[in-house]
Amino acid sequence: MSGVWAVARYTLSQCLRMKLAAVFLAALAVTLLVLPLALEGDGTLAGRIRSVLTYSTATVSVLLSFMTVLLTVGIVAGDMQARTVFLLAVKPLPRWKYIVGRWAGVVLLDAALLAISGGAIYAVAQHLREEEALNHTDRVAVETEVFVARSAMRPRLRKDASEPIAPGTSRRWTVSGVRASPVSVEGRARLQARLTEHHAFVRGVSANLRPLLENARRRDAIAEAWITGDERGRGIRARVEAEGRRLVVVYRAGNEQLAEALRPGQSVTVVLVEHRHGGPQTRGEGAVVARESHLRAAFEALDDVADHIAVGEYVGIRGVDGRVEHFRDNRFTVRFLPRDAHRPQVADLTAGEDVPVTVRPSLQLRYELSGRGTSGGVFGQWTAGSARSPYPPLRIRRRFPAGTIDTLAIPERLVGPGGDLFVEFTNGSGVNVTVDEDTLSVLYRAGGFTGNFLRGFGLMLAQMMFLAALGVFAGSFLSFPVGCLFCAAMLPFAMMRSFIADAVKLPRHGETDPVVWIGHGAFRLMQILVPDFARTSPSDALAAGRIIPWREVIELVGLTGGLQCVLAITFACLIFRKRELARVQV
């Protein structure tokens, strides 16, 4: 492969000397410098960062696409026009190595420019992240909706989805399979005593349970317990917490089956499963401002943990969860559950002391409401929760925006052990309201922003690899103007392939018009040969905080930068191999 590498190095140096490349490099530099200063978004910091991510990545993609096509077509076709390709006849270099080397040289230039552009965009985004937000809600949106990689779960579709929700009525949707990262282990334990109607303490934990118990205590994690209390293997599902050196089983009051299973001194089998539905937790420090009641206390955040706290979500104070009821100027009020009021972590809170604060990850409910005469918004109530979660459902009653997509934060504690969650909307207005089920989804954290950003630029590199192969193919048998026109005709099809596929109808059964069948066959062939650039563009995913999964990256890189790219290079090699470079004249 020394011949390919030699041609690739020569191509790279040749591209850097060309005026065409200099023009695109200057345009790229101006784009990266001017766009972040010119874009304001919707007036919020989150909106500005979204605008920078969207337009910067899209502009870089367009500029590099045109530069790649013009360089590859110009270099290969220019060698034929300038007669420099005649040197192949006197050098021991196979023609396929010339084609592959020209392609590799342009791809190396694209990879370098993508790395520089991506680094600049990432640095600008991180710089904007440190700027002052419009308000606390804007700051939380920056951290939980932009600098994150979220996956979406859609609810089960209802038969009455197209029917509006009448005033005073409700409609419920169920979401199942919210992905978690479970860690499970089974062991024997002995019940020490049944102390209250909500708690039971376990002692004599077997050796294989201790690591998970220590991990739960260290990470302040909530686990699930499946307790088998008799020889018939009846199981009781409950929640498990670490308290000191003991394991606390927390269950619902009034569960007679559980009360019968948890007799003091009884030997049981405990299966601990740690569920993490919303991603990593955020830890920080806080100070107790005041103790307002036995269930409510006010705190002040002492570090950046305040950027992640939102009203309605759960935070851990000394390892005990409570829901945030109010937040302003880094001060927040937490209400604990009645069953936790007697616990020393809550009962011993005193004003002035510092306490560890853990912000639980949250999910986002994405929805869109509409209705006649609802330009000023829709008054109603969203309810979210799970019948199997020990935490009470979240209820948000206010006026919601209509005609636009909005999101609501849902504490991940509300997700049931099996990943189930229900959302319900109650129409409190005087008109019929429709919930767009195509938009309705639950977003949960599935990765980080940096990894998602790198995967997105990996997709852009695969797109450039195909365009370089397309340019080499066109330059192998066409002149520079015709080759550029050919590639320019392919670009709109690649960018709008999904739209065209939806618009083009399949021939009806019994269709006899040959033009219809030929056109349909040609379109299907183009779908195989030309990639869908709408899928390889990361702009929308990065701006919306939507994850680009590895499965999709491998699929698109293997198809666009692999199969379709190899096909274009193969056709170019075959054409160039049979092409007559010069004629002998006597």
Side-chain angles (χ1 to χ4, degrees), residues 252-267:
R252 290 179 178 271
N255 192 328
E256 297 179 358
Q257 184 183 8
L258 183 60
E260 179 184 353
L262 297 181
R263 293 191 298 271
Q266 183 179 8
S267 180

Side-chain angles (χ1 to χ4, degrees), residues 2 18 73 93 103 133 176 202 226 271 300 333 339 366 405 411 453 474 500 524 533 552 567 585:
S2 59
M18 296 176 66
V73 176
L93 180 69
W103 170 82
S176 59
V202 178
W226 185 259
V271 180
E300 180 179 4
T333 303
R339 65 165 181 248
R366 189 170 183 262
I405 297 177
F453 190 85
I500 298 175
R524 290 303 181 190
F533 284 176
E552 182 177 341
L567 285 176
Q585 296 182 354

Side-chain angles (χ1 to χ4, degrees), residues 364-387:
Q364 282 83 37
L365 172 65
R366 189 170 183 262
Y367 67 94
E368 182 178 4
L369 304 175
S370 61
R372 183 176 298 179
T374 58
S375 58
V378 176
F379 186 81
Q381 175 177 290
W382 277 106
T383 305
S386 172

Side-chain angles (χ1 to χ4, degrees), residues 177-259:
V178 178
R179 198 174 302 171
S181 301
V183 180
S184 61
V185 65
E186 179 177 337
R188 299 292 296 178
R190 183 175 298 277
L191 293 176
Q192 178 179 345
R194 182 169 177 232
L195 301 182
T196 70
E197 62 177 355
H198 292 286
H199 293 87
F201 289 89
V202 178
R203 69 177 182 180
V205 178
S206 59
N208 57 334
L209 276 180
R210 289 196 184 97
L212 186 62
L213 174 59
E214 292 296 329
N215 187 48
R217 184 186 300 114
R218 184 170 57 253
R219 296 171 59 186
D220 198 20
I222 294 296
E224 171 192 346
W226 185 259
I227 303 174
T228 303
D230 56 21
E231 57 278 354
R232 289 178 295 176
R234 289 188 302 176
I236 307 299
R237 196 177 298 274
R239 187 165 59 90
V240 172
E241 294 179 357
E243 184 176 279
R245 294 184 174 274
R246 297 178 297 187
L247 197 64
V248 184
V249 182
V250 185
Y251 53 90
R252 290 179 178 271
N255 192 328
E256 297 179 358
Q257 184 183 8
L258 183 60

Side-chain angles (χ1 to χ4, degrees), residues 43-65:
T44 63
L45 180 60
R48 185 182 179 188
I49 297 175
R50 289 191 185 102
S51 298
V52 169
L53 291 173
T54 300
Y55 290 106
S56 296
T57 53
T59 304
V60 167
S61 177
V62 170
L63 288 176
L64 290 185
S65 296

Side-chain angles (χ1 to χ4, degrees), residues 47-339:
R48 185 182 179 188
I49 297 175
R50 289 191 185 102
S51 298
V52 169
L53 291 173
T54 300
Y55 290 106
S56 296
T57 53
T59 304
V60 167
S61 177
V62 170
L63 288 176
L64 290 185
S65 296
F66 281 104
M67 186 196 74
T68 301
V69 167
L70 293 176
L71 286 179
T72 49
V73 176
I75 287 175
V76 178
D79 284 348
M80 297 295 298
Q81 185 177 2
R83 305 292 194 270
T84 56
V85 75
F86 292 168
L87 296 175
L88 287 176
V90 295
K91 290 187 178 294
L93 180 69
R95 295 190 181 185
W96 70 267
K97 288 188 177 181
Y98 167 81
I99 292 293
V100 175
R102 287 301 198 185
W103 170 82
V106 176
V107 169
L108 286 175
L109 178 62
D110 285 332
L113 293 180
L114 277 175
I116 296 173
S117 303
I121 294 173
Y122 184 85
V124 169
Q126 293 293 343
H127 173 72
L128 293 176
R129 185 181 187 179
E130 301 299 325
E131 291 192 359
E132 185 177 355
L134 185 64
N135 48 43
H136 178 68
T137 303
D138 186 22
R139 171 56 61 186
V140 172
V142 169
E143 300 297 334
T144 62
E145 298 180 17
V146 180
F147 287 94
V148 71
R150 301 175 296 176
S151 187
M153 295 294 297
R154 297 194 176 276
R156 299 194 191 103
L157 296 180
R158 297 172 55 101
K159 296 181 179 179
D160 57 352
S162 59
E163 299 179 3
I165 304 175
T169 61
S170 303
R171 183 171 297 170
R172 175 176 292 195
W173 297 266
T174 302
V175 181
S176 59
V178 178
R179 198 174 302 171
S181 301
V183 180
S184 61
V185 65
E186 179 177 337
R188 299 292 296 178
R190 183 175 298 277
L191 293 176
Q192 178 179 345
R194 182 169 177 232
L195 301 182
T196 70
E197 62 177 355
H198 292 286
H199 293 87
F201 289 89
V202 178
R203 69 177 182 180
V205 178
S206 59
N208 57 334
L209 276 180
R210 289 196 184 97
L212 186 62
L213 174 59
E214 292 296 329
N215 187 48
R217 184 186 300 114
R218 184 170 57 253
R219 296 171 59 186
D220 198 20
I222 294 296
E224 171 192 346
W226 185 259
I227 303 174
T228 303
D230 56 21
E231 57 278 354
R232 289 178 295 176
R234 289 188 302 176
I236 307 299
R237 196 177 298 274
R239 187 165 59 90
V240 172
E241 294 179 357
E243 184 176 279
R245 294 184 174 274
R246 297 178 297 187
L247 197 64
V248 184
V249 182
V250 185
Y251 53 90
R252 290 179 178 271
N255 192 328
E256 297 179 358
Q257 184 183 8
L258 183 60
E260 179 184 353
L262 297 181
R263 293 191 298 271
Q266 183 179 8
S267 180
V268 296
T269 300
V270 181
V271 180
L272 300 182
V273 184
E274 179 188 356
H275 290 279
R276 306 188 62 81
H277 296 282
Q281 302 172 345
T282 303
R283 296 182 179 277
E285 294 291 331
V288 182
V289 177
R291 184 66 185 271
E292 299 179 357
S293 69
H294 70 292
L295 293 178
R296 186 183 286 107
F299 302 87
E300 180 179 4
L302 300 180
D303 50 25
D304 292 341
V305 72
D307 296 340
H308 302 268
I309 298 175
V311 176
E313 298 184 2
Y314 280 91
V315 297
I317 305 295
R318 288 179 169 176
V320 180
D321 283 348
R323 179 175 289 177
V324 178
E325 293 186 331
H326 177 75
F327 185 96
R328 186 176 182 180
D329 298 332
N330 285 358
R331 294 195 174 190
F332 57 97
T333 303
V334 176
R335 180 181 177 86
F336 298 97
L337 298 178
R339 65 165 181 248

